Amino acid sequence: MSDSVVDVIKSLTREVPDFPEPGIQFKDLTPVLADRNGLAVVTDALAEIAAGADLVAGIDARGFLLGGAVAHRLGVGVLAIRKGGKLPPPVHSQTYTLEYGTATLEIPADGIDLAGRRVVIIDDVLATGGTLAAAGALLAASGAEVPIAAVVLELSGLGGRDKISPLQVASLQTI
Ligand code: AMP
């Protein structure tokens, strides 16, 4: 990724030690999204990766903001992959392990036909990979094709990229 994209992300990311658990270095991308240039630079770079998608899927919660912006940029729709218990039934559901604790992701099992759609997943951070792997599994179970996932920041020391294989991921910044 170009230096300028990485510089923008670096300069606006807030480091929060010991959140939400002791020992976790939380990378808060909220200031990137709240900055006019930050949002534009990150959206354009993610949209380049997602080119050719006919639907963008954003993961709860910062992935919703990024996913919506990227979908609009590409002229396609957006699907919210939500945390468990938020969607009305019927849902497809997947429980997985996080860097801290466990979580469940859900998508609607009715009302949106995902069969054969090219869906690109968008999220803010790739850490251990459980979230992206679960999102990919949910979409695959619905018959979607997921050519690639795109994240702003990849924490490479946590092995997430290996865990989500064969799902491909592109990141704007790797640390
Ligand atoms: P994982 O499933 O471990 O790859 O975690 C990725 C998801 O959890 C993303 O949706 C992130 O928003 C969040 N996350 C996990 N670890 C961090 C971290 N160190 N900093 C910021 N967000 C994180």
Side-chain angles (χ1 to χ4, degrees):
M1 197 42 61
S2 80
D3 285 351
S4 59
V5 175
V6 174
D7 288 346
V8 168
I9 298 166
K10 266 191 197 163
S11 68
L12 292 167
T13 300
R14 193 169 69 103
E15 305 277 342
V16 188
D18 299 318
F19 180 85
E21 301 280 339
I24 303 290
Q25 178 76 7
F26 191 82
K27 309 286 186 183
D28 183 11
L29 298 185
T30 305
V32 180
L33 305 181
D35 183 85
R36 176 185 174 164
N37 186 50
L39 180 62
V41 163
V42 161
T43 300
D44 287 353
L46 291 173
E48 219 171 280
I49 295 162
D54 52 30
L55 180 68
V56 169
I59 301 180
D60 207 338
R62 282 169 296 273
F64 293 169
L65 303 171
L66 290 163
V70 169
H72 183 65
R73 185 86 174 72
L74 294 177
V76 300
V78 64
L79 173 68
I81 302 183
R82 301 205 61 179
K83 291 192 176 139
K86 305 287 186 190
L87 287 171
V91 295
H92 290 300
S93 181
Q94 186 91 21
T95 296
Y96 62 99
T97 308
L98 272 177
E99 194 182 0
Y100 36 82
T102 64
T104 300
L105 289 180
E106 292 179 344
I107 57 171
D110 209 359
I112 304 169
D113 186 7
L114 292 173
R117 310 273 304 270
R118 282 170 62 82
V119 183
V120 173
I121 304 171
I122 304 280
D123 202 4
D124 61 340
V125 174
L126 169 61
T128 63
T131 305
L132 270 189
L138 278 175
L139 292 167
S142 302
E145 235 185 87
V146 184
I148 197 162
V151 299
V152 176
L153 181 59
E154 176 177 351
L155 307 178
S156 62
L158 297 171
R161 181 174 284 271
D162 296 336
K163 182 163 178 183
I164 67 169
S165 172
L167 176 62
Q168 299 293 304
V169 62
S171 44
L172 305 188
Q173 188 195 359
T174 304
I175 54 176

